[in-house]
Amino acid sequence: QVPLVESGGGLVQAGGSLRLSCTASGRTFSTNDMGWFRQIPGKDRELIAAISRSGDTALRDSVKGRFTISRDVAKSTVYLQMNSLKPEDTATYYCAAALGLARYLAITTWKSVSYWGQGTQVTVSS
């Protein structure tokens, strides 16, 4: 069973909105924090949003006020609602599961991640 399955993404104009979804296996969801990384070609994946097992959330400053992370426990699904999108938000977005993503968002690297989604492209046109 694939641990994380993403959906959503696509092409949107600047100022628009998109919602990404990520469904995990029950055990993966219940035993890990869930988060969203994004990657621009030539750069490392960067953690931008995370939600802990207790529901605490954390966001990187670059997306605060525009992005929201939430979850549906019954569906083992985490969401990333992205509003007021900017061209610089263009990237491949990856769902991730690992311990401590929410508490240590600012210092967490891709090396800490236990499970990855397949990635979904988000392109914001100006």
Side-chain angles (χ1 to χ4, degrees):
Q1 184 180 8
V2 178
L4 305 175
V5 179
E6 300 177 30
S7 61
L11 174 64
V12 65
Q13 288 188 331
S17 298
L18 284 173
R19 189 177 80 158
L20 306 182
S21 301
C22 172
T23 299
S25 67
R27 179 170 175 79
T28 300
F29 188 87
S30 65
T31 58
N32 290 278
D33 287 11
M34 301 295 295
W36 290 94
F37 283 71
R38 67 184 181 187
Q39 186 172 26
I40 300 169
K43 295 191 175 182
D44 284 342
R45 294 180 189 185
E46 177 185 62
L47 181 59
I48 60 168
I51 187 165
S52 73
R53 287 170 291 173
S54 60
D56 296 325
T57 63
L59 294 166
R60 192 165 290 274
D61 286 348
S62 58
V63 303
K64 280 182 180 177
R66 302 187 298 122
F67 291 13
T68 303
I69 187 169
S70 62
R71 65 179 186 169
D72 185 329
V73 175
K75 296 181 179 180
S76 297
T77 298
V78 62
Y79 305 99
L80 184 67
Q81 178 66 43
M82 304 184 291
N83 299 327
S84 302
L85 282 161
K86 304 175 181 180
E88 51 263 44
D89 294 318
T90 295
T92 303
Y93 285 70
Y94 295 90
C95 180
L99 297 177
L101 292 180
R103 184 173 182 180
Y104 302 109
L105 181 140
I107 60 172
T108 296
T109 72
W110 61 269
K111 298 177 182 179
S112 302
V113 172
S114 304
Y115 303 100
W116 289 106
Q118 76 275 20
T120 187
Q121 179 66 34
V122 172
T123 301
V124 185
S125 63
S126 58

